[in-house]
Amino acid sequence: MNAVQQPTRPPRTPRAAQIAAAARDLLEERGRNELTMRALAERLAIRAPSLYKHFRNKEAVEAALVEDGLAEMGAALHAALSKASTPDRIPVLLAAYRRHALAHPGLYRLATTGPLPRKALPDGLEEWAGSPFFLATEDSHLAQALWSYAHGMVVLELDGRYPDGSDLTRTWQAGARVFAAPGST
């Protein structure tokens, strides 16, 4: 089973990297709706027009954050899988996915909900970031189903939709058993 090669990401200027970092902080603190060019400029103590020298608009800032989110999630999942034995791939993958998503909820939501700005992303990034699901299942349809399960679980957990007292770790483990069961492909 061969992993997809991690794509090369174009470098950012130091100022663009600083702006993206400030945008990410703002996103995590206040949420997507509060991520505006004005709020970002205020965070950086600069005038909003200065941002446009580095990012053409808010959508470009968001695309940079989506790129970061996919790259970081992909790195976390590939790292987790590299340490997992074959029978443990799915539970290890799901645990890493949950851990990473819950640690970065704003970035997670931005990168995984709504339309994906594919044309603004480096070639191959989306495939590379999602390939751990295929590597864990060795079946493209099962990989999509597994990602859909993981995504749904994360969103429900982030939204506080499970009843109080739910043992979500056990729920994740139950899902992992179902996806890893013989005949699930």
Side-chain angles (χ1 to χ4, degrees):
M1 182 167 44
N2 295 326
V4 176
Q5 179 74 24
Q6 183 174 4
T8 302
R9 296 172 60 200
R12 293 184 184 142
T13 66
R15 186 63 162 164
Q18 179 188 31
I19 292 167
R24 182 175 179 163
D25 290 344
L26 192 59
L27 176 69
E28 292 296 351
E29 291 168 18
R30 298 188 195 167
R32 185 178 194 164
N33 292 338
E34 298 295 319
L35 177 59
T36 65
M37 296 302 263
R38 181 175 300 207
L40 185 53
E42 288 173 9
R43 169 70 54 115
L44 292 163
I46 62 174
R47 294 179 33 163
S50 298
L51 295 172
Y52 296 99
K53 296 174 186 173
H54 306 281
F55 292 96
R56 69 184 177 284
N57 53 30
K58 178 185 172 187
E59 290 74 23
V61 173
E62 288 182 347
L65 294 177
V66 168
E67 178 185 328
D68 292 347
L70 291 176
E72 291 172 20
M73 178 64 86
L77 299 181
H78 281 280
L81 275 186
S82 73
K83 299 172 189 161
S85 63
T86 300
D88 293 332
R89 281 187 276 184
I90 290 174
V92 165
L93 177 72
L94 289 176
Y97 188 89
R98 179 186 186 203
R99 189 172 41 254
H100 190 78
L102 295 179
H104 311 282
L107 190 62
Y108 177 80
R109 285 182 190 278
L110 181 68
T112 62
T113 60
L116 184 64
R118 285 185 174 96
K119 291 182 180 181
L121 299 175
D123 288 340
L125 178 61
E126 179 185 9
E127 180 183 6
W128 175 80
S131 67
F133 288 93
F134 177 77
L135 295 171
T137 63
E138 298 180 340
D139 178 276
S140 61
H141 299 290
L142 189 59
Q144 285 183 334
L146 182 60
W147 177 79
S148 298
Y149 166 77
H151 176 66
M153 286 284 298
V154 164
V155 169
L156 291 169
E157 189 168 355
L158 288 173
D159 289 348
R161 295 296 301 268
Y162 291 103
D164 290 341
S166 294
D167 186 342
L168 296 181
T169 298
R170 289 186 65 192
T171 303
W172 279 90
Q173 291 168 347
R177 283 192 305 275
V178 168
F179 279 98
S184 62
T185 57

